[in-house]
Amino acid sequence: MLINKVLEAIKKINPDAQASITDEDLNTIRWENGTTPISIADIQAQIPVVEQEIADAAAKKIADKASANAKLKALGLTDDEIEAIK
Amino acid sequence: MADGTLKVGTITTSSGSGTITIGQSGETVNVSGAAGTGFGKVLQVAQTTKTSSFSTSATSFTEVTGMNVSITPSSASNKILVLMNASLGHGSGGTSAHVTLYRNSTNLGHSSNGMNEVSDANGSNSFSGGVGISWLDSPSTTSSTTYTIYARTGSGTAYFNNNSEYCSITAIEVAS
């Protein structure tokens, strides 16, 4: 999955912010196109929120898949038939 | 003179200009000594490699950190072949990611689309692939010239070298 937690954290503070970064190194943030800089402390505070959202999204994807498989089985499809339509 | 050895320090034309021809059609000319300067078409090569990732939410082209190479042409009439390879992607919800090549402060590519891009057709999924740039430039200078990769996103975030693969930019001076 393509995601940079630091840039996502920045968007939570300012959805219109434009920035660049090397890896996820907070000390390399370059603010782009006139974006007002945000403090590293404020960004760091949002990173756990982003990490939780990533974890929640991954868990939801697994749960949705299990739920869909269960519903298909309830309709009478075999495992092979379910695999064939994925 | 057949099968002899000619020992001289310098060979020049009688007029001081023009062309010196060695050998005739159908013959082979070998240089058995160490390679000197001025032979062939490739005169020098410079390369920079990058092993870190770079991400940007900038919608206008911005410099990819560490993705530049400098070369000083030996003649203003020579050309510089620039080669670049890397992975490029955009996150889910993004539409495209673009790369271009700058010579010093000049964008050599399309002002907004650059020289290469990746794009997910329906714009809802993240997308990543390999991209390259090969550009034969005529810098018309003998001053140090820097070639730099710039990137931008169409929307969302653009990811350059996302998995920290080894990518590179190479500048090759080719005699005109």
Side-chain angles (χ1 to χ4, degrees):
Chain A
M1 181 169 60
L2 291 174
I3 192 162
N4 186 293
K5 288 183 282 188
V6 176
L7 292 184
E8 293 301 315
I10 289 170
K11 284 181 189 174
K12 291 205 163 297
I13 300 167
N14 177 5
D16 296 324
Q18 295 189 18
S20 300
I21 189 170
T22 295
D23 295 328
E24 290 186 336
D25 183 351
L26 289 157
N27 295 311
T28 67
I29 295 173
R30 188 170 71 219
W31 300 101
E32 307 280 3
N33 299 323
T35 297
T36 301
I38 300 168
S39 74
I40 287 179
D42 288 346
I43 297 168
Q44 285 176 316
Q46 290 297 322
I47 288 178
V49 178
V50 172
E51 290 175 334
Q52 188 59 55
E53 288 181 354
I54 293 170
D56 291 347
K60 182 177 184 304
K61 193 171 184 179
I62 292 170
D64 286 348
K65 186 175 181 180
S67 174
N69 280 335
K71 288 175 182 174
L72 289 171
K73 276 193 174 183
L75 291 173
L77 275 70
T78 66
D79 288 339
D80 287 344
E81 289 170 334
I82 293 170
E83 190 62 35
I85 63 173
K86 284 183 181 175
Chain B
M1 181 171 63
D3 299 329
T5 300
L6 176 64
K7 295 185 176 180
V8 295
T10 305
I11 300 174
T12 65
T13 62
S14 57
S15 63
S17 63
T19 302
I20 294 173
T21 300
I22 301 174
Q24 302 175 83
S25 176
E27 297 176 341
T28 300
V29 176
N30 291 325
V31 178
S32 57
T37 59
F39 287 100
K41 289 290 187 180
V42 174
L43 305 182
Q44 58 174 318
V45 179
Q47 184 181 60
T48 299
T49 59
K50 176 179 174 63
T51 58
S52 58
S53 68
F54 176 83
S55 308
T56 185
S57 54
T59 53
S60 57
F61 281 116
T62 188
E63 180 179 344
V64 176
T65 304
M67 202 60 179
N68 59 73
V69 64
S70 296
I71 193 167
T72 303
S74 57
S75 168
S77 62
N78 289 346
K79 296 182 182 299
I80 304 295
L81 176 61
V82 182
L83 306 170
M84 185 283 291
N85 72 285
S87 68
L88 182 69
H90 63 76
S92 59
T95 54
S96 60
H98 304 256
V99 289
T100 194
L101 177 68
Y102 272 62
R103 182 209 308 127
N104 298 326
S105 59
T106 301
N107 182 0
L108 301 176
H110 186 276
S111 59
S112 60
N113 294 327
M115 288 188 175
N116 212 335
E117 70 172 87
V118 294
S119 178
D120 176 44
N122 63 26
S124 62
N125 299 316
S126 62
F127 188 88
S128 181
V131 294
I133 288 176
S134 56
W135 188 260
L136 187 61
D137 189 37
S138 301
S140 302
T141 183
T142 55
S143 298
S144 177
T145 302
T146 300
Y147 293 91
T148 306
I149 299 300
Y150 278 58
R152 76 173 187 87
T153 181
S155 62
T157 301
Y159 298 89
F160 185 95
N161 212 35
N162 185 61
N163 289 321
S164 299
E165 304 93 342
Y166 285 16
C167 62
S168 64
I169 178 170
T170 304
I172 302 169
E173 182 184 8
V174 181
S176 57

